[in-house]
Amino acid sequence: MVRDYQEIKSRLRGSMTPVITPFKSNFDIDYDAFSKLIEFQLENGTHAISVTGTSGEPSSLTEGERLQVIESAHKTINGRVPFVPGTGSTNHEETMRMTKRAEEIGADAALIIVPYYNKPNQKALYKHFKTVADSVDLPIIVYNIPGRTAQNLHVDTLAQLSKDCPNIVGVKESNKDFEHVNRVLLKCGRDFLLFSGIELLCYPMLAIGGAGSVSATANVLPGKVAQMHDAWFEGDVETAQNLHYELMELNDVLFKDTNPAPVKSALGMMGKIEPYLRLPMDLPSEELQREIRDTLTKYRVQLQYV
């Protein structure tokens, strides 16, 4: 039976937290901490959960580990909020397998990144996304992050995909070109789901008709990020603007090094995880960690490790 994409689109709104993948000191995945992170999100009003996207260090995981993380998250969430795992990679067949598995376990949608490193042209990108979309009956949110992939998915390419593939329902734009993101809704339609992946553009994208954000900062202050979206959708523009500016200092410090290193450092200080990353990623410098700690203190975040 073909899914009701409109019904699903109506639920995929607000703050979709890209939950990090915690590791133990031996660099095994810490599934107990992972489940607790998801519960922390749900307790604080997060509207949807994503895993194994950029913040989840997918390139540091094996395909089997990614599938285990996705299945673990799905079990923990248990239908309480929409679940949108990241299933994309540089490898087309792996992306197909991951996306098919997301469909099989009952994910609400899949987040599929523009393939990184190999820099496919626009024709190849179209073929890649269309082939994956045609292989599943699952809503797909394209993930455009040119700063990481070294390739920008053009608006016209995305518009053609949205026209030709009814299950391509939205895009996460980690794109600092605000003219580009405006044209996404112009060309793809105002009901196309536009999510911000740039922290300082989360509020501005709501103002032009965006559906929400996928903000790494929500790992640390999920309640504040969710409240900003709630205020906007309730028509309380002043509160939404105030929260946008209130979050700015934390947004800035959490991106002074490559995501998710600063976020993991912050969560470690909060006692939520052991702050480990797999090489070639590593924690921020001691100087930046002190700045993160000081910033968390300003936000009155309870710290266990300083």
Side-chain angles (χ1 to χ4, degrees):
M1 185 173 69
V2 176
R3 288 192 179 207
D4 181 354
Y5 298 125
Q6 289 303 126
E7 187 276 333
I8 292 167
K9 286 172 69 174
S10 71
R11 294 189 290 114
L12 288 175
R13 295 187 177 273
S15 174
M16 184 189 306
T17 302
V19 178
I20 60 97
T21 303
F23 298 122
K24 301 177 183 178
S25 58
N26 64 357
F27 300 105
D28 286 345
I29 297 169
D30 189 340
Y31 286 103
D32 181 57
F34 183 58
S35 294
K36 290 177 180 177
L37 288 175
I38 292 174
E39 294 295 343
F40 172 60
Q41 290 294 320
L42 300 180
E43 289 164 5
N44 282 276
T46 290
H47 305 109
I49 297 288
S50 182
V51 299
T52 62
T54 302
S55 298
E57 295 173 78
S59 61
S60 296
L61 306 176
T62 66
E63 184 177 342
E65 285 175 327
R66 287 186 72 185
L67 290 172
Q68 284 182 297
V69 168
I70 289 170
E71 290 168 5
S72 174
H74 182 258
K75 182 178 179 180
T76 301
I77 295 165
N78 194 27
R80 287 177 285 176
V81 296
F83 175 48
V84 185
T87 61
S89 78
T90 58
N91 184 285
H92 176 74
E93 292 299 326
E94 180 180 330
T95 301
M96 295 273 282
R97 290 192 298 270
M98 296 282 295
T99 307
K100 186 64 179 176
R101 183 58 186 151
E103 178 185 35
E104 290 171 352
I105 69 170
D108 294 279
L111 181 70
I112 303 181
I113 194 169
V114 168
Y116 41 93
Y117 179 72
N118 33 24
K119 293 182 70 174
N121 60 32
Q122 297 300 306
K123 178 182 177 183
L125 286 173
Y126 173 87
K127 291 173 69 175
H128 170 69
F129 282 108
K130 187 175 189 305
T131 303
V132 176
D134 287 347
S135 72
V136 293
D137 181 19
L138 180 71
I140 289 171
I141 298 173
V142 175
Y143 181 10
N144 189 30
I145 179 168
R148 291 257 192 173
T149 64
Q151 183 60 287
N152 186 33
L153 181 67
H154 293 177
V155 172
D156 287 343
T157 306
L158 181 60
Q160 192 63 51
L161 283 165
S162 70
K163 177 181 177 182
D164 296 343
C165 306
N167 58 331
I168 293 183
V169 298
V171 62
K172 174 187 174 183
E173 281 285 357
S174 294
N175 198 322
K176 293 184 177 181
D177 182 349
F178 203 57
E179 290 187 14
H180 172 102
V181 297
N182 276 267
R183 295 186 188 284
V184 166
L185 291 183
L186 178 67
K187 293 290 186 74
C188 297
R190 298 280 291 279
D191 65 338
F192 196 67
L193 301 180
L194 173 64
F195 289 91
S196 175
I198 299 288
E199 275 58 27
L200 294 191
L201 294 183
C202 290
Y203 172 75
M205 282 202 198
L206 290 174
I208 65 169
S213 69
V214 188
S215 167
T217 301
N219 279 282
V220 179
L221 285 184
K224 291 286 186 183
V225 179
Q227 288 164 24
M228 183 185 73
H229 291 79
D230 288 337
W232 172 260
F233 290 124
E234 290 166 5
D236 188 351
V237 175
E238 183 178 1
T239 296
Q241 288 178 340
N242 289 342
L243 285 164
H244 165 70
Y245 287 105
E246 181 181 341
L247 286 163
M248 194 173 292
E249 184 176 358
L250 181 61
N251 287 333
D252 286 345
V253 78
L254 291 180
F255 283 85
K256 287 191 173 182
D257 197 354
T258 305
N259 180 49
V263 169
K264 280 197 160 183
S265 181
L267 289 172
M269 294 172 193
M270 294 164 65
K272 300 291 185 186
I273 63 168
E274 295 183 69
Y276 294 106
L277 296 92
R278 288 179 177 174
L279 292 172
M281 298 289 288
D282 202 358
L283 288 173
S285 67
E286 291 295 329
E287 180 182 5
L288 180 52
Q289 290 191 56
R290 286 193 295 271
E291 187 176 352
I292 293 168
R293 178 201 62 208
D294 292 343
T295 303
L296 292 175
T297 301
K298 289 182 184 179
Y299 282 83
R300 298 182 180 179
V301 174
Q302 184 174 358
L303 303 181
Q304 292 192 23
Y305 305 100
V306 297

